[in-house]
Amino acid sequence: MRALTWQGRRDVQVTDVPDPTIQEPTDAIIEVTSTAICGSDLHLYEVLGPYLAPGDVLGHETMGVVQEVGAGVTHIKPGDRVVVPFNISCGSCWMCSRGLYAQCETTQVTEQGKGASLFGYTSLYGSVPGGQAQYLRVPQAHFGPIPVPDGVADERVLYLSDILPTAWQGVAYADVPEGGTLAIWGLGPVGQLAARVARHLGVERVIGVDVVPERLALAAAQGFETIDMSQVDDVAEAVIDMTDGRGADGTLEAVGMEAHGSPRAKLAHAAVGLLPDKIADPMMDKMAVDRLDALHTAIKACRRGGTVSISGVYGGELDPMPMMEMFDRGLQLRMGQCHVKRWIDDILPVALADGDPLGLESLATHRVPLEEAAHMYEVFQKKEDGCLKVVLKP
């Protein structure tokens, strides 16, 4: 089959790889009908190369049609349309029984000290082949895949795999009270969806922060207030001024480890990325730092007693944090990989509602064949051509 494979830093290629097969009774094989490039895939393109090997198949936002199931899979059958959550969870272990599916003890990558395995996301998370391919083997398919009805456009449900529940969890974690304000850092796909989810859940005021004109314009067109980082001297102060001098009740950081405005950390990322893997691996794991400008600003813009919700992906171990300020102001922090299936029962009726209330079918800016995936990684990484979201068609 054809699949998008990692070959080196900023080098991904669509190549021929072996077709997947059933390996365990709880496996399924799906034929991929749509798969997306996620913002966190760009971390693989740039920063996390030391944890990848040439030929690794990328991609963790995937849906398709079931082709084959193992003997232990009964809730789906060949011919069913399914969306595949990006984290691989058993549904029955101690963590899963508490809704902490991203920490599944059955698929935890304990040798790396990490949580549940993820599709297409480095040796840190199990080196499981991803879904930017014609076919995908789905482990733990007795629990994970989400059946979706026929007759609904792929893009109405594709984002159930990751970015929509990630946005939903981010808003839920921000814990904005009635009449309150949510400020969102990063108006990429997760940030855009988080703003729409917040409005759906009754948050009265949403402020979006970004620097990319197209992303700011899209949020403004949806009726949200925006702050262009390039037009203000101090973003946190701008948010505080907009909220009666207190700050936002909740802030949601949807940027992650490669935030703008952190030149020294960017230089460190680049330097480690050029080292041989045997040297870079332990440095990344034990000595890494993130580009924290967005997170620090989200912390400073949150009111006393408020909540900072972190959806952006981070990988540092030595990150400096303003602990005195956080403690003095009584802030709460909530974060982590999204527990996808924890939110699906709430999200699915909204995703399928008449009129597409969250604008899911119009979110993607680029829809291209899988064969063009390598070019679209570059376009997305450079934020060229107004690129917000890329959907690939195998």
Side-chain angles (χ1 to χ4, degrees):
M1 69 172 183
R2 301 287 283 171
L4 189 283
T5 60
W6 187 89
Q7 299 296 332
R9 185 170 179 265
R10 295 187 185 177
D11 182 6
V12 294
Q13 302 173 22
V14 178
T15 62
D16 291 319
V17 302
D19 289 354
T21 60
I22 297 288
Q23 298 179 23
E24 301 290 342
T26 52
D27 286 352
I29 305 295
I30 71 164
E31 182 179 10
V32 177
T33 57
S34 292
T35 181
I37 302 176
C38 181
S40 55
D41 286 330
L42 298 182
H43 303 323
L44 312 182
Y45 192 66
E46 184 77 30
V47 178
L48 296 178
Y51 297 108
L52 290 160
D56 282 353
V57 179
L58 305 186
H60 60 266
E61 295 184 354
T62 310
M63 68 172 294
V65 178
V66 178
Q67 300 297 297
E68 185 180 0
V69 298
V73 179
T74 59
H75 86 292
I76 56 173
K77 63 185 185 304
D80 287 350
R81 294 178 77 207
V82 297
V83 177
V84 181
F86 77 97
N87 40 32
I88 303 170
S89 312
C90 74
S92 60
C93 68
W94 192 93
M95 288 289 182
C96 286
S97 68
R98 288 157 175 79
L100 300 173
Y101 300 116
Q103 307 299 336
C104 174
E105 292 181 327
T106 300
T107 73
Q108 271 183 18
V109 188
T110 54
E111 64 272 19
Q112 297 282 2
K114 298 296 184 286
S117 296
L118 309 178
F119 286 102
Y121 217 79
T122 78
S123 59
L124 291 175
Y125 289 97
S127 294
V128 181
Q132 289 169 2
Q134 292 178 307
Y135 295 92
L136 175 67
R137 171 182 167 253
V138 182
Q140 304 298 322
H142 64 290
F143 174 71
I146 304 160
V148 294
D150 293 331
V152 175
D154 275 15
E155 287 174 43
R156 184 70 77 94
V157 291
L158 172 62
Y159 307 132
L160 292 168
S161 58
D162 178 359
I163 59 171
L164 181 51
T166 293
W168 195 286
Q169 176 173 291
V171 173
Y173 278 10
D175 195 27
V176 177
E178 183 176 353
T181 299
L182 174 68
I184 299 172
W185 269 256
L187 292 172
V190 170
Q192 298 284 345
L193 288 178
R196 301 173 195 184
V197 166
R199 180 165 57 195
H200 170 77
L201 294 176
V203 175
E204 293 189 13
R205 190 180 186 194
V206 177
I207 301 168
V209 180
D210 208 298
V211 71
V212 180
E214 294 87 351
R215 298 181 176 191
L216 290 161
L218 178 59
Q222 292 282 324
F224 302 112
E225 298 174 70
T226 61
I227 296 174
D228 183 342
M229 294 166 52
S230 68
Q231 301 301 310
V232 297
D233 293 329
D234 188 321
V235 175
E237 283 298 322
V239 173
I240 291 169
D241 289 344
M242 295 170 68
T243 51
D244 299 324
R246 294 190 183 91
D249 300 281
T251 58
L252 198 170
E253 198 282 278
V255 181
M257 67 175 76
E258 295 180 84
H260 290 279
S262 308
R264 286 180 294 180
K266 180 178 181 179
L267 181 62
H269 282 181
V272 172
L274 295 174
L275 294 172
D277 287 356
K278 287 186 178 180
I279 300 174
D281 282 5
M283 289 187 68
M284 290 281 285
D285 187 41
K286 302 299 183 185
M287 300 169 61
V289 293
D290 293 299
R291 294 159 65 180
L292 296 175
D293 186 70
L295 178 55
H296 284 174
T297 308
I299 289 169
K300 292 180 180 298
C302 189
R303 68 157 168 81
R304 290 178 178 271
T307 302
V308 179
S309 174
I310 306 171
S311 293
V313 175
Y314 284 94
E317 291 280 353
L318 298 179
D319 292 327
M321 296 292 285
M323 290 303 300
M324 181 175 71
E325 182 175 2
M326 292 158 60
F327 180 84
D328 175 69
R329 292 168 56 212
L331 299 182
Q332 299 184 69
L333 272 67
R334 297 197 70 183
M335 67 191 82
Q337 298 280 10
C338 180
H339 307 295
V340 172
K341 294 208 67 174
R342 176 175 175 177
W343 309 103
I344 293 302
D345 287 347
D346 294 326
I347 297 172
L348 193 55
V350 182
L352 297 177
D354 291 345
D356 190 10
L358 298 180
L360 302 174
E361 291 189 47
S362 60
L363 184 69
T365 52
H366 294 71
R367 300 168 180 85
V368 301
L370 176 65
E371 294 294 329
E372 298 180 26
H375 172 64
M376 291 313 304
Y377 262 77
E378 181 179 3
V379 171
F380 191 22
Q381 198 264 347
K382 293 179 178 179
K383 299 182 177 65
E384 296 176 339
D385 194 30
C387 187
L388 175 72
K389 187 64 178 176
V390 181
V391 174
L392 306 171
K393 296 289 187 177

